Amino acid sequence: MAVYFDHRIEAPESSAVPSHLTWHSALPVLAVASSSPTNEGNVDLYLQQGEYVESCHVGRPHQPAVLRWHPTKPVLALGWENGEVVLLTHPSGDQTVLPITHTAGITLLEWSSSGSRLVTGDQTGALAVWKVDARGRLQGNHLVKHEYSKPLTCCIFKPAAPGDDVAMLARASVGGDESALDMFSWKGAPLKMGPQEGLAFYVSTADGKVHSVDEQCKTSTLLSVEGAIKKLFYLNKRDALAVITETLMLSQYTLGPEGGAQEYMKVKLSSKTGQNFDIVWTENSLLITVSGEQVIRLWDLERDDNFVLSLDETLGFERGEMINCVSYCAAKEILAGGTSHGRIAMWRMVAQPGSSKGDTNAQWKLQTPTEIEGNVTQIQWGSSLNLLAANNSNTVLILCEHVMSAHFGQQVAAVQLTPTQLSITQFNTGAQLALQSDTHIKGVCVTKESVTVWNGKQVTVYELSGTVLRNTGAFPCDSHAVAVHGENLYTVEPNRVQIRTPQGTVKQLLTFSKAEGNPVLLSVCQFYLVVGTDTAHIRVFDLSRRDAKAHCGAKNLAEQIASLGALRSVKCNANGSQVSILISQVNGRPDHKVYFYDVEMDTVTHFDFFVGRPSSGISHCEDGERQQFQGTELSGRCPVSHFWDESEPRLFVCETVPISSESSSASSVDMADVSVVTLFCTQEHGLLLQDCYPKPAGLQALLALDVPYYYFSCKPGERDPGSTEVSATTSAPPHQTEPSKGAPVQFPHMVSRRALREFVGLETCEKATRDAMLNFSFYLTIGDMDEAFKSIKLIKSKAVWENMARMCVKTCRLDVARVCLGNMGNARAAKALKEAEAEPEPEAQVAMLAIQLGMLEDAEKLYKCCQRHDLLNNFYQASGQWQQALDTAESNDRIHLRTTYYNYAKYLESMGNKTLALVYYENSDTHRAEVPRMLQDDTASLEIYVNKMKDKNIYKWWAQYLESQSDMDSALHFYECAQDYLSLVRVHCYMGNIQKASAIANDTGDRAASYHLARHYEGHDDIKQAVHFYTRAQAYNNAIRLCKENGLDDQLMNLALLSNPEDMMEAACYYEEKGTHMDRAVTLYHKAGYVSKALELAFATQQFSALQLIAEDLNENSDPALLARCSDFFITHSQYEKAVELLVAAKKYPQALELCVTQNLTITEELAERMTVTDSKDLSEDARKEVLEKIADCCMRQGNYHLATKKYTQAGNKPKAMRALLKSGDTEKIVFFTNVCRQKEIFIMAANYLQSLDWRNNPEILKTIIGFYTKGRAPDLLAGFYEACAQVEIDDYQNYEKALDALTEAAKCLLKAKDSSGGQQEARVADLQHKVSLIKKFVHARRLYPENADEAVRLCEALLEEPELDPAVRIGDAFGFLVEHHCQQGNLEVAYRKLEELQKRLPSQNVRYYISQASLEALQKVMGVPIDGDDHTVKEEDEVEEDLNLS
């Protein structure tokens, strides 16, 4: 928590009443304007603590109107009522008067964001723009001057357009972002750095107009509103302009890219009329207004939300106190308001979880006010130090924030309340005193005998005697660090520590070398003083003797700690063996480690709160060291304060906050998530985490650790609700001699103490018990259970053992808890703990221990931690927390939701709240029985409930109740509403209304009602009606019984068929015994499943129709003999198909197959499969194959080739299977089967078959034929196929080249074949080779013709002389070659002779087949003779020849 020191400005005597004040934005310089009744005006500058700057006084015979600081330079612009504008430079006091431009009072002065432009305006509407250099000096005359004819009211500069973030781009480039890297290179577009500042601005006038002035100083009217404009604000996020008029009308305008403005919102702000108002605008678009009311009004323009902040009388404000002015500090997030009673009210923004900075969901928390005199009319935050200046109409005060001082020592605590007041608490006597100092208090140190305060310039010592404070000495001293031990005071100065008496006399000097630096930090614990220097050295001194002696040499921590910037705090333990250190890093941020210097070992270790682990030496014995601290997270934190126990050297405590809040102001600790962490620190075991718990609400900060208590300072106006300590009382102490310095007070306690976990309930125990408990906790922490129990074995107090059991809940040590419960003699808790061991989660077991010890909050947290919502639900119910139980059941334990509702309803019923109990009985779905039970004594309410619910079960319950009360008519009505037909029939029968009962049973068909009515009819010997209603009730056995007893044979058959097999069997026996209706007996035996009995009876009585029906239900599971007998019966009656099915079912496959053959029955695939079951045990493999072949033969005869193929294949006879498949003509299956079988014979058969297809036009078939012959190892057949291919090429296409290739392949195949024909193969090879040679000659001649036609003709003529030329080379092709040649050469006579010779050698051939039509027409034209008749004849002969060739 912080207090504010107020410094009154040291105003010169000639100064008058202050009227204006303004801070420089960065420098701690305050400008104050004052006015006198004689119309004279002054402007003076003051420093941080109100020091007057004499060189910067400006006086004029006119009133000052406006003050504006340059944004960066120490230059103040002053506007006066006569139109004069002066630039005042600090600290030189140089004054620059602007050239005369204005003739009326200055109304506005505004600097641009970087200060290169200054805008001045007056009441006549004259506006001038001035240029200022980088040093803040005026450059020449004004750049431009505009006349607006109306008084100017406001001016704001438009922010510059955002440019590229160079730092962000640089980081992205280093990270590998190519697009960011390109923006730095010549490849990308040039970086848009944006202008240094925005030079365009907006100015408003008293007639409600806003004018826009661009960067070239050209003006234009932007918008107009009603009334004079009081404030202008620019909304960066929306690129919009907000305008507030003197009537508090707020208008918002969006600004177009070309300069236009469009209104999008207009609202009237609430305020107190007729009062001056103060308006503040924040960067978060928050509009803050005060108008002399008791509240501050806030409008969030981004979220269109508004709320108010009011004063709280409990914090010291008075009723009717008004807020006159307001100012907001963005750096501290503090809103300050000045009141009419001389107080400064401050609200600090405390962000709620999940809310962003500036969110309206954030909570504004009112702080304790700072009191100054008079009526505060103006306040303003300013400078980089965040100082607050306040004008109270008489003078100006500067308020500087200071962290509240507090100290604890030897059972005395002091906490600062105001800049000059302390609250002193004596815990030994219970007294509480107040100390009022004459000076500001910047530090305090207390012992049991004295209170020492200092302010950096003076040290004052007060003697504490009982409840009296007496000033024993005061002396000047500029030490900022003071420590006290006994009657000695320790102060610091450069390179030494002074040991003084309370009156300031120096008794001893502790010198430090230049390398060791200047002492800046002091701390005393018992008899040891630790000193920290500005060069990060520490030294420890022993104070136990008369003179202080060095306990150890100076230690340079900079050598041990990397990135050490400066020491923040140093503390030593009670025996001087350990020193704890907090540091700041080089970058100024607090380090998240606590460092420990072991004096004896000269080593430095640390505990890192960022990761929640020490550097070394941690030794938790159990697996889950983190499980000791349920719900506490140590990682991601930073230490802010630390203390050693005043008597126990091992015990250390540290206060930590999350990393995100450690960089905030020191006063923010009270708002952060603060945790108090306790450690054991020893040489043998290092750093041991002993306890960690969140700081309770209402407490400010940790003050000290003194077993058995932690000591905390309290927040003003708050009290720790969970405090169980016995704090100091406020009872009136004895009379005091100096009431001005120390007096009993009645304000709330400022110090609260909380017992350590081990000492809850043992706060007043003796020292031996306290030491034993500390040793027990220490050994328990290191896991040494033997030593832990040794330390407490002599303790007999049950309270101690109970306290240790409570500690076991915190540490989750159930083994220790059992021992504690045994020593406590708490058998019930021990039994409950043993039963809880059945739970799989250790936390659930510990929770049961917590319940038995009354630690209900811990039990609740443990159940939540292990997510045992069922046990948590039971816990809430048992502890009477029914709302939490219901919430848990509804959200996480829905399986027990109805049970929870039921238990809550029982609880409410026991409490007499039947109305609410009824609701929860309904929610638990138990209302049908529970509500009538609950309301049975209140029949009127119960009847209303029954009629309201309209539930059948409740109607039935009510009807039964009425029946028991003999109210039969009403009972019948409610039975009917409940649709309980049995009860209706029962009551009607009881009342003798049989017809009504029969009608109900017939109409509803209710079985129970029908059965009851049938029993009634049977009892009255009405057999027909009894059978009828037994049948409707489906009680067929009773109906059959009556039919047999009364000879109703016709009805008996129908009833038996409807009933179960036992009743059918009984009825069949009845018919068989009577000897009549044997067909019925057979049918019933069959339906009942007694097939053999039915068949036997059918054969015996020649019931052929029944026999046929029975045979349809026979299958392979039936008796084989029975099947054979039935099959013979069907053969006899020529029903062969049924007979075959029965023979197959009887597994007589040969007979069935023989019957199929003899009677030519079609064998289906299903029948074939049934006759050849692969896993049949009735057929051997050979017999099975024989049956398969017979089936296949039969299928072949019947033309079912595919099934025949399948059966031949199953029999293993693949050749026959192939023949069957070839008969089917399914080429695709033939090829597939051939490839699967891979047998030579099969390949050849398939290839032979494929030759019968159109292989000439289907290349795939051609390739398959060649492949099959090759795989079938039949080269002779393949050669024959190649010869056929060659002949086709010659005959059909005259393609001798392909024919030559085919014959060559044929010759190769014949050469591979084995000769088994006695020389025929050689002759065949020779014949092939002769054909190949002839074809080669002819092909050679044709190829030679284009190059040497004569030689080609000679070769062709020689070829015609060859014997046996045809069929190797057709004679017609050779003569055609010659005729074509001579026709082309023009030797038509020779060509004609060759044609005649061709006709002689082939008289039956058509010459047109060999000679082109063009050549024939040329010969006919020249020779004049027809050749082979007309075209028609030739065409017919061609067609005939083609037909012959095709055939």
Side-chain angles (χ1 to χ4, degrees), residues 1022-1040:
D1022 192 343
I1023 303 303
K1024 184 176 179 181
Q1025 289 293 332
V1027 170
H1028 168 70
F1029 284 106
Y1030 276 135
T1031 304
R1032 289 187 66 84
Q1034 298 181 18
Y1036 302 115
N1037 54 348
N1038 285 293
I1040 290 171

Side-chain angles (χ1 to χ4, degrees), residues 256-275:
E258 298 179 358
Q262 180 67 40
E263 185 181 71
Y264 69 90
M265 194 193 81
K266 189 173 184 180
V267 65
K268 178 70 168 65
L269 302 180
S270 300
S271 69
K272 187 176 180 181
T273 59
Q275 295 286 339

Side-chain angles (χ1 to χ4, degrees), residues 324 513 1056:
N324 299 325
S513 67

Side-chain angles (χ1 to χ4, degrees), residues 905-971:
K906 295 286 287 184
Y907 166 77
L908 292 170
E909 183 182 353
S910 67
M911 300 300 293
N913 191 349
K914 293 185 178 182
T915 303
L916 195 56
L918 186 147
V919 174
Y920 281 96
Y921 276 133
E922 291 176 357
N923 290 342
S924 66
D925 200 30
T926 58
H927 59 287
R928 296 173 182 86
E930 294 296 334
V931 173
R933 176 195 57 75
M934 181 176 67
L935 300 178
Q936 62 183 353
D937 295 334
D938 187 358
T939 54
S941 300
L942 181 56
E943 185 173 4
I944 294 172
Y945 180 77
V946 168
N947 291 319
K948 172 187 172 184
M949 291 302 294
K950 295 182 172 56
D951 186 276
K952 293 181 180 179
N953 292 297
I954 298 177
Y955 277 143
K956 182 177 179 180
W957 190 96
W958 183 242
Q960 290 171 340
Y961 172 78
L962 293 174
E963 184 181 353
S964 67
Q965 300 298 316
S966 300
D967 189 354
M968 295 301 182
D969 294 335
S970 299

Side-chain angles (χ1 to χ4, degrees), residues 240-293:
L241 194 66
V243 179
I244 301 178
T245 66
E246 61 183 2
T247 60
L248 284 186
M249 184 65 70
L250 169 64
S251 304
Q252 296 184 51
Y253 296 84
T254 55
L255 303 177
E258 298 179 358
Q262 180 67 40
E263 185 181 71
Y264 69 90
M265 194 193 81
K266 189 173 184 180
V267 65
K268 178 70 168 65
L269 302 180
S270 300
S271 69
K272 187 176 180 181
T273 59
Q275 295 286 339
N276 292 328
F277 54 86
D278 195 5
I279 301 176
V280 172
W281 170 255
T282 73
E283 295 179 354
N284 299 323
S285 299
L286 199 63
L287 186 65
I288 306 169
T289 65
V290 295
S291 56
E293 300 177 276

Side-chain angles (χ1 to χ4, degrees), residues 473-499:
F475 55 91
C477 180
D478 58 0
S479 174
H480 290 278
V482 178
V484 180
H485 178 259
E487 294 184 355
N488 293 333
L489 272 67
Y490 302 86
T491 60
V492 298
E493 64 178 19
N495 294 111
R496 57 187 179 181
V497 174
Q498 301 164 324
I499 304 179

Side-chain angles (χ1 to χ4, degrees), residues 1383 1388 1392 1395 1408 1413-1431 1434:
C1383 286
L1388 297 179
Y1392 184 70
L1395 181 60
R1408 291 180 181 274
Q1413 182 69 24
S1415 298
L1416 288 175
E1417 290 177 354
L1419 287 172
Q1420 188 173 353
K1421 182 177 180 182
V1422 173
M1423 303 306 296
V1425 292
I1427 298 174
D1428 287 349
D1430 60 7
D1431 293 341
V1434 173

Side-chain angles (χ1 to χ4, degrees), residues 360 441 552 822 963 967 1011 1168 1224:
T360 55
I441 299 173
C552 66
E963 184 181 353
D967 189 354
Y1011 185 83
S1224 71

